[in-house]
Each structure stands twice: as structure tokens, then as C-alpha cells.
């Protein structure tokens, strides 16, 4: 299970930290991911299963990395975005 949030904090360590999440960036991320054929559930409680292949994961992470890093007005504007491709 994983959850997607965008925050200016370098690391979230407790529930209170989630209050720094920027909903506008999450909405921007969701819309751009849908344009790439990737849908996340509204509550952003995401689950992996054995039905997801390595290729599915690589394609999703590549799309997410593109969305976060693209353009000077991208989601990562004003903060350091993580390198998503290192997860797989």
C-alpha cells in the first residue's frame, strides 16, 4: 500500500506532516497521469498486486517521473522532486 502526497517537507514522519500536502499539485499530478493512461483512486490509497507486471510498474513510474519533472511549470516547481525511477 502506498499513498501519494506532494509536500515541501523533505520527509514526512507522522500524521501531522500530511497537513502540509498541496492538494493543487496532487490534482495536477492526477490529471496529467490520466492523460498518460494511469488512474489512481480518489483517496490515493494505492495497492500493488501480483496482477501488476514489472513492465506495468516501470511504465507507471516513468510516467510519474515525467509528470513531476517536466517543464519549468511542472509539479516539482519550487522544490526538489524525488527520483522515482530508483524504486524499481
Amino acid at each position: 500500500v502506498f499513498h501519494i502526497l506532494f509536500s515541501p517537507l523533505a520527509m514526512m514522519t507522522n500524521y501531522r506532516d500530511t497537513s502540509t500536502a498541496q492538494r493543487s499539485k496532487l490534482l495536477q499530478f492526477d490529471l496529467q497521469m490520466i492523460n498518460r493512461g494511469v488512474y489512481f483512486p480518489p483517496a490515493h490509497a494505492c495497492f500493488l498486486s501480483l496482477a501488476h507486471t514489472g513492465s506495468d510498474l516501470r511504465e507507471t513510474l516513468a510516467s510519474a517521473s515525467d509528470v513531476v519533472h517536466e517543464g519549468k511549470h511542472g509539479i516539482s516547481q519550487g522544490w526538489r522532486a524525488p527520483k522515482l525511477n530508483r524504486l524499481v
Side-chain angles (χ1 to χ4, degrees):
V1 175
F2 63 95
H3 192 79
I4 301 170
L5 295 171
F6 291 93
S7 170
L9 297 177
M11 179 184 293
M12 291 186 165
T13 58
N14 57 54
Y15 180 76
R16 288 183 305 275
D17 291 346
T18 64
S19 69
T20 66
Q22 299 172 343
R23 297 181 66 88
S24 62
K25 289 192 183 284
L26 185 57
L27 176 61
Q28 189 180 5
F29 176 80
D30 284 345
L31 294 174
Q32 291 183 36
M33 289 298 285
I34 288 170
N35 287 338
R36 288 167 171 78
V38 179
Y39 174 78
F40 289 105
H44 287 90
C46 305
F47 300 86
L48 295 176
S49 77
L50 293 175
H52 296 104
T53 66
S55 178
D56 293 333
L57 297 177
R58 284 187 293 278
E59 289 175 27
T60 301
L61 288 174
S63 293
S65 183
D66 289 347
V67 166
V68 169
H69 295 98
E70 72 185 11
K72 72 176 191 175
H73 298 293
I75 293 173
S76 64
Q77 172 91 16
W79 55 278
R80 187 172 173 227
K83 293 183 179 180
L84 300 174
N85 57 356
R86 71 180 173 170
L87 299 175
V88 174

